[in-house]
Amino acid sequence: MNLLSKETVAKKAQEVKEVTELLNSSVSAIVVDYRGLTVEQVTDLRKQLREAGVKMRVIKNKIMVRVADEAGYPDLKPVFAGPTAVAFSEEDPVAPAKILANFAKTADALQLKGGIIEGKVASLEEVQEYATMPSREELLATIANMLQAPVRNVAYAVKAIAEKGDEDAA
């Protein structure tokens, strides 16, 4: 029996270490209560998250409490009650919040709880605020359009001057 408990403790310690590393390497981690979702809904949600490069894991609350302590996020511990899943993103801090909030609009059973965004514990309200922000790709597209606009305007002006010069020559 003692050997089994040592194995169990070692497995839990390993899981805490793995999840702590995952949390520390992520730019955001959003905690949700998934209780009541159907298998089809969970499959669909995981697919959407995976396509955005987000990993979702169901993790025991006792493990997450230890992870929160080890990673330096003790203020996150209160969200670990009831069935808990965590969506980790290593690239886009907005993606998990956006996908989960949009999914929750059609699946009432999914409840956002809070999370960590860019190294700071985020309340439910802050997570919902991030969910309304444009994604990284949308922001980059907007910036690209803003940068292209002056160049495009100069090109149009040069073309108009060139065409006017051709008309004057004729």
Side-chain angles (χ1 to χ4, degrees), residues 5-25:
S5 65
K6 284 183 181 179
E7 276 184 34
T8 303
V9 169
K11 282 182 182 179
K12 288 183 180 183
Q14 181 61 31
E15 186 175 5
V16 168
K17 181 182 175 196
E18 288 173 10
V19 176
T20 301
E21 288 172 1
L22 180 59
L23 181 62
N24 286 334
S25 67

Side-chain angles (χ1 to χ4, degrees), residues 64-135:
M64 284 309 302
V65 166
R66 289 183 186 157
V67 168
D69 279 335
E70 289 216 9
Y73 299 109
D75 294 343
L76 188 63
K77 293 192 293 189
V79 301
F80 301 122
T84 300
V86 185
F88 299 94
S89 176
E90 295 180 351
E91 297 172 15
D92 186 352
V94 177
K98 188 179 239 14
I99 292 167
L100 292 166
N102 285 338
F103 194 86
K105 290 177 186 174
T106 60
D108 293 337
L110 184 70
Q111 301 293 317
L112 298 172
K113 294 181 175 184
I116 297 170
I117 300 174
E118 295 184 325
K120 295 181 183 151
V121 174
S123 67
L124 172 61
E125 293 77 24
E126 291 170 317
V127 170
Q128 290 172 331
E129 202 173 296
Y130 265 83
T132 62
M133 293 176 68
S135 69

Side-chain angles (χ1 to χ4, degrees), residues 45-62:
L45 177 58
R46 284 184 182 272
K47 180 178 180 269
Q48 289 179 37
L49 290 167
R50 195 171 33 256
E51 288 172 355
V54 177
K55 299 173 189 167
M56 186 169 104
R57 288 186 57 183
V58 175
I59 304 167
K60 290 184 178 184
N61 290 326
K62 285 185 179 184

Side-chain angles (χ1 to χ4, degrees), residues 32-50:
V32 296
D33 179 343
Y34 62 92
R35 180 181 21 202
L37 290 180
T38 65
V39 173
E40 294 82 22
Q41 287 174 316
V42 172
T43 302
D44 183 35
L45 177 58
R46 284 184 182 272
K47 180 178 180 269
Q48 289 179 37
L49 290 167
R50 195 171 33 256

